């Protein structure tokens, strides 16, 4: 979700410079959106496996996001996005299985003082309801709990048209926190109470995306993203992460844009983290 929110929020909002070639016009049209309104959808499938000692877990998440944004001034845009989350996870060390469903609401926007320079921001609140089953001493324990989520980010994006490559470079600071409420696990004649606890992380993200022009409509791309922890609770030994990606964006003169992208984390021993995202946007 965050990646597509950033893409939607970072579209330059005002007229293109004069005295540029036809190809540069097409490149700039890929980054700018002179229309006032936009509606979009994004569906992400995320597969995560952690095989580090004491942290073994696996999770599969599907997040469907619907969004709307509007150019509220010549250099300003603002939007709203709603994300539905469905997650299935397993923790083999204590034979735990979890199923979660949640909803996240986000406000996002951007200020574009120059045609290829934008400053995106976003804030979000959400909640996930999770049911948990685990086996201990031959007994199956069942419990339910709620997690409250908070997120915020701010950054800067610089878009550079070259021939025949179009570069998008960004630097972003993000904050995410969650509060898992207390809950009781029950089985015949007994129960176990788990107290509430919190998680949080603050990270820097630096990324670049290189798209290649094909007839002004097809834009295959490769991307690279580096993330580093500023703070994380509970703490982990790994403080940084590298992710590569590839995909295809399709642009139409009628205001339609679609995309399919794949991303995978590398360089974190014991972790397999990959995602597939499908996006569709209509500007009018």
């Amino acid at each position: 979700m965050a990646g597509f929110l950033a893409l939607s929020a970072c579209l330059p909002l005002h007229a293109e410079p004069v005295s540029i070639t036809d190809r540069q016009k097409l490149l700039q049209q890929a980054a700018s959106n002179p229309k006032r309104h936009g509606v979009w959808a994004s569906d992400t499938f995320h597969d995560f496996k952690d095989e580090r000692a004491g942290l073994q877990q696996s999770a599969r998440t599907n997040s469907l996001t619907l969004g709307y944004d509007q150019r509220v001034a010549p250099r300003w845009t603002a939007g709203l996005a709603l994300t539905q989350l469905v997650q299935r996870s397993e923790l083999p060390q204590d034979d735990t299985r979890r199923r979660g469903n949640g909803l996240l609401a986000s406000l996002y926007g951007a200020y574009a003082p120059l045609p290829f320079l934008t400053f995106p921001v976003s804030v979000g609140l959400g909640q996930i309801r999770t049911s948990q089953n685990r086996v201990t001493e031959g007994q199956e324990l069942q419990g339910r709990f709620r997690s409250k989520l908070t997120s915020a980010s701010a950054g800067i994006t610089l878009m550079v048209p070259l021939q025949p490559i179009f570069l998008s470079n960004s630097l972003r600071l993000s904050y995410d926190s969650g509060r898992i409420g207390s809950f009781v696990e029950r089985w015949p004649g007994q129960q176990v109470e788990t107290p509430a606890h919190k998680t949080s992380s603050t990270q820097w993200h630096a990324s670049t995306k290189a798209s290649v022009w094909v007839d002004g409509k097809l834009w295959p791309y490769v991307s690279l993203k580096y993330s580093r922890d500023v703070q994380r609770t509970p703490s982990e030994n790994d403080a940084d992460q590298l992710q590569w990606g590839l995909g295809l964006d399709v642009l139409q003169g009628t205001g339609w844009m679609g995309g399919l992208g794949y991303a995978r984390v590398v360089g974190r021993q014991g972790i397999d983290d990959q995602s597939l995202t499908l996006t569709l946007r209509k500007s009018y």
Side-chain angles (χ1 to χ4, degrees), residues 9-278:
C10 291
L11 297 174
L13 304 174
H14 45 277
E16 62 186 31
V18 297
S19 302
I20 56 179
T21 66
D22 290 341
R23 179 173 290 189
Q24 286 173 322
K25 281 187 178 182
L26 290 171
L27 288 168
Q28 185 160 324
Q29 288 170 5
S32 62
N33 181 9
K35 301 182 183 297
R36 185 174 178 83
H37 304 275
V39 292
W40 56 273
S42 174
D43 199 6
T44 298
F45 301 89
H46 186 197
D47 186 75
F48 174 82
K49 294 180 181 178
D50 189 343
E51 298 180 350
R52 295 174 295 176
L55 297 172
Q56 292 93 347
Q57 61 177 307
S58 63
R60 289 187 175 182
T61 304
N62 175 234
S63 57
L64 175 62
T65 303
L66 302 177
Y68 166 80
D69 50 62
Q70 179 178 343
R71 181 165 55 90
V72 295
R75 294 178 175 83
W76 294 87
T77 185
L80 169 68
L82 295 176
T83 300
Q84 182 185 29
L85 301 171
V86 178
Q87 186 180 70
R88 302 290 184 269
S89 61
E90 295 182 359
L91 289 76
Q93 64 267 30
D94 57 1
D95 198 11
T96 299
R97 297 175 303 279
R98 292 175 178 169
R99 292 174 295 177
N101 293 272
L103 186 66
L104 176 68
S106 300
L107 295 174
Y108 64 92
Y111 171 62
L114 296 172
F116 289 98
L117 180 66
T118 55
F119 295 89
V121 295
S122 67
V123 294
L125 294 173
Q127 180 175 268
I128 299 177
R129 295 183 178 183
T130 302
S131 61
Q132 174 175 288
N133 295 72
R134 67 187 180 98
V135 177
T136 180
E137 298 179 355
Q139 295 285 345
E140 183 176 4
L141 282 68
Q142 298 180 345
R144 297 176 183 272
F145 58 90
R146 295 183 181 183
S147 304
K148 295 182 179 180
L149 310 176
T150 303
S151 65
S153 71
I156 180 173
T157 298
L158 177 65
M159 300 182 181
V160 182
L162 304 173
Q163 295 192 37
I165 298 174
F166 185 85
L167 295 178
S168 177
N169 308 295
S170 67
L171 182 65
R172 182 171 62 93
L173 179 65
S174 69
Y175 171 78
D176 297 278
S177 69
R179 184 185 186 278
I180 299 177
S182 61
F183 64 99
V184 175
E185 297 173 290
R186 295 181 174 88
W187 73 97
Q190 299 186 58
Q191 64 182 32
V192 176
E193 184 174 353
T194 300
H197 64 279
K198 296 181 179 181
T199 64
S200 66
S201 67
T202 304
Q203 291 183 303
W204 282 107
H205 309 271
S207 63
T208 184
K209 175 182 175 181
S211 303
V212 179
W213 176 80
V214 181
D215 291 333
K217 294 183 178 181
L218 302 179
W219 295 80
Y221 68 83
V222 295
S223 64
L224 193 64
K225 177 182 176 182
Y226 173 75
S227 303
R228 184 170 184 84
D229 285 351
V230 177
Q231 168 274 333
R232 180 178 293 273
T233 303
S235 62
E236 295 184 10
N237 293 330
D238 294 334
D240 55 7
Q241 177 175 288
L242 187 65
Q243 180 188 74
W244 63 267
L246 54 86
L248 176 67
D249 292 329
V250 181
L251 308 176
Q252 296 290 334
T254 57
W256 286 98
M257 182 185 80
L260 180 64
Y262 171 80
R264 186 164 193 165
V265 172
V266 295
R268 298 191 68 184
Q269 187 172 4
I271 291 181
D272 185 9
D273 189 347
Q274 53 188 326
S275 62
L276 184 68
T277 301
L278 175 66

